[in-house]
């Protein structure tokens, strides 16, 4: 179903429209929502009209923000309006409005606004949009680059550990309880039964969380709603694992809020930053951004004082053409004259810097930027990124990404190329490190990532300095964004001087003269030779996939699907392999989930009645949290 011409709708507007329907009309709602596809048409004065028959017309009048934020902006001409099925169906077919276009709910945030377009939602956009998520911060003091004056850090910038924890207020506790109830019902229903009525309950709870000052909880609920919609529409960009993770994050945050033990989770969705101050950043690399929802652009990764990562993004509608062209577009920051290619190999001294919670640099009116000399990867402080032990660096990177649930920060290491191994390259970390898989960061054939990795794979024994993002869901896997020569290595890259010792794999194309003479065992002309044996994969070898399949079955088919999957002769097929592998806690939690899903209580007359979703949701959440922790532990151990 396409709803591209329908304006976004505030969550509370849709929730109120569904609540006004009778039980009989609610049963027809999903079928009527499906009928809205292709019926929307532009009306006068910027309105959008959807016609049902000859006498019924639903009109949406978006406000200045482009979204429907009040019930009076959606009207229907039928006799039952506004408690009619047509109005609720049109609102249910429209996309959900993001929080940045809704009226403010509560006191304004002390954080300065960050200019530029908002990146698409990662759950709705799918894995292709993950490149637009900015890297986080790694707190470690490092010396500054020689020849560049030291700039004081912008006042007000604080690490996450310095943000004081606050206890949730009574309103936030109530909002957490409402979120838990709505999420538990949605989980018990699953994708198959998670229609507009179930989504409306989640949207009502999300609005309650927003009014209580819980933007993180609101965003988690909206992510689940968008995931349910995409899954029900059988969108290609939706992965069941993403929706499972969204349910886990929503339920985990809601249960902490409802139990009055949320701590920092009940605080603001973003850390507070003060305007003003100076910030000097050094370019690291460029990364193309290509979203499944039509966004395209570039993200330039930067290194600030204390080894903190920053990003400067230029992401707008335009798709592949925008992603390819933005790599050389001008940097819109404080009148700077650099483009993104120059910034990735140079630096900026920023006065009046504004920084968002995830390290993105803002372009406010008072921001002024002056180009400064950059630093090669062999110079400090950038060289310190590659000197850290890889196991220690991976642990810090994954821990930094965990609180935000976004993409992991960048990781640097020196490796030796072993050769091609299936869909990736096998490399060994220099100094006796582990065997690591290099996978393509952006697999689109029009981007040079794949061609560059294929050419690198044709030079076994090549020493390579790699900067990339570790994959938190795969054992010892790094998705490289840029590569460079290893200082002092005899068999390494030979890059042009103007590249400043690094090649951006998403924009620069490696040629034959960038490589040393092929080793005797290398394939001719840099073509990948025979596949090599990849390193062990403890995550794939562990039987945890059985638990993951059970959890995803519950998300797809609801409570009944979990009960059916654990019945009959296959009941022992779930816990026995887990216990044989020593995963007894995972086996116990999976058995408890299956037993709770199959529980069928009876009333005092012996008649079957619907079981409460609360106990089922707690059993599902316990198993999901344990699985996530176990998989993360195996991934971290694979880097040893």
């Amino acid at each position: 179903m396409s709803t591209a011409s329908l304006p976004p709708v505030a969550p509370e507007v849709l929730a109120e429209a569904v609540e006004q329907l009778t039980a009989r009309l609610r049963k027809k709602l999903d079928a009527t929502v499906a009928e809205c596809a292709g019926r929307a048409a532009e009306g006068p004065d910027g309105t959008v009209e959807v016609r049902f028959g000859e006498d019924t017309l639903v009109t949406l009048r978006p406000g200045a923000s482009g979204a429907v934020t009040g019930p009076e902006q959606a009207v229907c001409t039928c006799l039952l309006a506004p408690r009619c099925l047509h109005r609720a169906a049109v609102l249910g077919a429209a996309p959900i409005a993001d929080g940045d276009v809704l009226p403010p709910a509560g006191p304004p945030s002390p954080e300065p606004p960050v200019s530029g377009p908002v990146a698409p939602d990662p759950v709705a956009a799918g894995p292709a949009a993950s490149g637009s998520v900015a890297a986080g911060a790694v707190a470690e003091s490092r010396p500054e680059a020689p020849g560049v004056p030291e700039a004081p850090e912008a006042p007000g910038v604080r690490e996450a550990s310095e943000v004081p924890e606050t206890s949730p207020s009574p309103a936030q506790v109530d909002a957490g309880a409402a979120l838990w109830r709505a999420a538990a019902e949605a989980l018990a229903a699953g994708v198959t039964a998670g229609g507009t009525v179930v989504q409306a309950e989640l949207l009502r709870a999300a609005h309650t969380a927003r009014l209580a000052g819980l933007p993180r909880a609101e965003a988690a609920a909206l992510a689940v709603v968008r995931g349910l919609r995409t899954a029900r529409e059988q969108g290609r960009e939706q992965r069941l694992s993403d929706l499972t993770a969204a349910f886990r994050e929503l339920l985990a945050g809601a249960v902490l809020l409802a139990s009055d033990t949320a701590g920092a989770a009940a605080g603001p969705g973003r850390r507070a930053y003060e305007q003003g101050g100076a910030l000097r950043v050094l370019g690291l690399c460029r990364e193309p951004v290509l979203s499944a929802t039509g966004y395209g652009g570039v993200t330039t990764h930067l290194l600030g004082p204390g080894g903190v990562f920053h990003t400067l993004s230029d992401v707008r509608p335009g798709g592949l053409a925008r992603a390819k062209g933005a790599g050389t577009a001008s940097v819109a920051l404080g009148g700077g004259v650099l483009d993104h290619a120059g910034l990735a190999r140079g630096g900026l001294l920023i006065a009046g810097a504004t920084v968002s919670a995830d390290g993105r640099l803002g372009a406010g009116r008072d921001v002024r930027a002056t180009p400064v000399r950059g630093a090669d990867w062999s110079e400090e402080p950038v060289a310190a990124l590659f000197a850290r032990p890889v196991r220690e660096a991976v642990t810090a990177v994954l821990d930094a990404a965990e609180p935000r649930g976004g993409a992991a920060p960048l990781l640097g290491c020196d490796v030796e190329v072993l050769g091609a191994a299936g869909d990736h390259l096998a490399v060994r970390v220099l100094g006796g490190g582990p065997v690591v898989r290099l996978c393509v960061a952006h697999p689109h054939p029009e981007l040079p990532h794949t061609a560059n990795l294929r050419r690198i794979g044709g030079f076994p024994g090549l020493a390579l300095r790699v900067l990339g993002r570790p994959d938190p869901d795969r054992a010892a896997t790094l998705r490289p964004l840029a590569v460079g020569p290893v200082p002092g290595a005899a068999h390494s890259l030979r890059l042009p001087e103007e590249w400043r010792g690094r090649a951006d794999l998403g924009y620069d194309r490696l040629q034959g003269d960038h490589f040393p003479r092929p080793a005797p065992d290398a394939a001719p002309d840099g073509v990948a030779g025979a596949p090599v044996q990849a390193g062990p994969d403890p995550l794939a070898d562990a039987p945890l996939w059985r638990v993951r399949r059970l959890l995803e079955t519950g998300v797809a088919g609801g409570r009944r699907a979990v009960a059916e999957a654990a019945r009959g002769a296959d009941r022992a097929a779930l816990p026995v392999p887990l216990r044989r592998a020593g995963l007894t806690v995972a086996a116990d939690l999976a058995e408890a989930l299956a037993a709770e899903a199959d529980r069928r209580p009876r009333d005092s007359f012996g008649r079957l009645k619907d079981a409460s979703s609360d106990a089922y949701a707690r059993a599902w959440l316990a198993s999901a949290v344990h699985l996530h922790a176990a998989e993360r532990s195996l991934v971290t151990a694979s880097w040893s």
Side-chain angles (χ1 to χ4, degrees):
M1 177 180 64
S2 175
T3 59
S5 58
L6 291 174
V9 174
E12 64 273 17
V13 175
L14 173 58
E16 181 180 356
V18 175
E19 288 175 358
Q20 292 177 346
L21 298 179
T22 63
R24 180 179 62 86
L25 293 180
R26 289 188 182 189
K27 295 179 181 179
K28 302 179 180 180
L29 182 57
D30 287 333
T32 309
V33 168
E35 294 177 3
C36 295
R39 292 192 176 187
E42 294 185 3
D45 300 329
T47 61
V48 178
E49 299 177 344
V50 181
R51 183 172 295 278
F52 294 86
E54 298 181 357
D55 302 327
T56 303
L57 181 67
V58 178
T59 304
L60 302 182
R61 296 184 176 88
S65 62
V68 176
T69 58
E72 71 282 354
Q73 295 176 284
V75 296
C76 181
T77 59
C78 75
L79 297 178
L80 294 179
R83 304 173 182 269
C84 64
L85 181 63
H86 313 104
R87 178 174 176 270
V90 173
L91 293 174
I96 302 299
D98 291 320
D100 58 335
V101 302
L102 300 179
S109 171
E111 181 183 0
V114 178
S115 63
V118 179
D121 183 84
V123 173
S130 62
S132 64
V133 184
V138 178
E140 177 178 311
S141 299
R142 298 183 177 95
E144 299 298 326
V148 182
E150 173 70 14
E153 186 173 344
V157 177
R158 298 180 296 177
E159 294 301 321
S161 59
E162 300 178 13
V163 179
E165 294 189 0
T166 56
S167 299
S169 65
Q172 291 174 335
V173 173
D174 293 340
L179 279 172
W180 172 264
R181 290 191 297 269
E185 292 294 335
L187 179 66
V191 172
T192 55
T196 308
V197 175
V198 173
Q199 297 170 21
E201 295 297 327
L202 279 170
L203 294 176
R204 171 62 71 187
H207 178 61
T208 303
R210 183 168 182 267
L211 294 179
L214 298 170
R216 294 180 186 175
E218 178 200 19
L222 294 182
V224 170
V225 172
R226 292 189 178 102
L228 286 172
R229 287 188 170 192
T230 307
R232 288 177 61 84
E233 295 167 6
Q234 297 180 352
R236 291 180 298 175
E237 67 273 12
Q238 175 62 35
R239 296 190 304 174
L240 194 58
S241 59
D242 294 334
L243 184 54
T244 302
F247 264 111
R248 185 190 70 241
E249 295 298 328
L250 174 58
L251 289 169
V255 75
L256 289 177
L257 288 168
S259 60
D260 199 7
T261 58
R270 298 179 178 180
R271 289 174 284 172
Y273 292 87
E274 299 176 3
Q275 293 189 10
L279 182 67
R280 185 181 62 84
V281 293
L282 302 174
L284 294 175
C285 66
R286 293 169 294 168
E287 178 184 7
V289 177
L290 185 59
S291 164
T293 56
Y295 283 79
V298 63
T299 292
T300 299
H301 296 271
L302 308 162
L303 187 67
V308 177
F309 287 106
H310 297 283
T311 57
L312 187 62
S313 298
D314 183 6
V315 182
R316 301 176 186 176
L320 178 63
R322 182 76 177 80
K324 295 170 66 176
T328 54
S330 299
V331 174
L333 182 65
V337 296
L338 287 177
D339 58 14
H340 280 274
L343 178 58
R345 294 177 168 92
L348 286 178
L349 181 61
I350 307 173
T354 59
V355 187
S356 71
D358 55 5
R360 299 187 184 185
L361 298 178
R365 292 183 302 174
D366 299 330
V367 177
R368 297 293 181 268
T370 303
V372 296
R373 175 186 177 273
D376 291 342
W377 282 7
S378 58
E379 300 175 357
E380 296 294 346
V382 181
L385 297 176
F386 305 92
R388 195 175 186 182
V390 64
R391 170 66 185 273
E392 176 185 339
V394 167
T395 302
V397 164
L398 295 181
D399 289 344
E402 189 66 26
R404 296 190 309 274
L410 301 187
L411 170 72
C413 59
D414 295 339
V415 302
E416 177 187 359
V417 177
L418 301 180
D423 61 345
H424 58 270
L425 293 184
V427 299
R428 184 181 298 278
V429 178
L430 295 180
V435 174
V436 178
R437 300 162 179 83
L438 296 186
C439 291
V440 177
H442 298 276
H444 197 284
E446 295 293 330
L447 297 176
H449 285 278
T450 302
N452 284 331
L453 278 188
R454 184 180 295 114
R455 182 172 287 273
I456 292 173
F459 291 86
L462 180 72
L464 204 63
R465 177 158 281 187
V466 182
L467 183 66
R469 183 175 291 113
D471 191 334
D473 299 324
R474 298 183 62 175
T477 299
L478 185 66
R479 300 190 179 273
L481 303 179
V483 296
V486 176
H491 195 66
S492 190
L493 291 176
R494 301 181 299 183
L495 300 179
E497 184 177 352
E498 59 269 18
W499 285 14
R500 297 299 301 273
R502 83 284 309 260
D504 297 331
L505 297 180
Y507 290 101
D508 302 323
R509 290 187 179 272
L510 296 174
Q511 305 297 333
D513 57 351
H514 296 156
F515 294 87
R517 288 183 177 275
D521 56 346
D525 198 26
V527 179
V532 301
Q533 184 66 30
D537 190 345
L539 189 60
D541 297 338
L544 288 173
W545 62 268
R546 300 175 184 273
V547 181
R548 189 184 315 112
R549 185 175 63 180
L550 182 67
L551 295 174
E552 292 179 355
T553 298
V555 171
R559 179 176 189 154
R560 292 182 179 180
V562 174
E564 291 292 337
R567 285 177 183 166
D570 294 336
R571 190 177 187 91
L574 176 63
V576 171
L578 292 171
R579 289 196 170 92
R580 287 176 179 173
L583 302 171
T584 56
V585 176
D588 293 341
L589 292 175
E591 279 190 318
L593 172 60
E596 180 59 36
D598 201 23
R599 186 172 64 87
R600 307 181 69 187
R602 297 178 180 269
D603 59 16
S604 56
F605 297 99
R607 296 172 297 191
L608 290 173
K609 63 179 183 179
D610 293 335
S612 172
S613 300
D614 184 78
Y616 170 74
R618 289 184 181 274
W620 187 94
L621 178 61
S623 186
V625 170
H626 180 271
L627 174 66
H628 179 69
E631 290 181 335
R632 180 58 53 87
S633 178
L634 290 175
V635 169
T636 304
S638 67
W639 287 84
S640 298

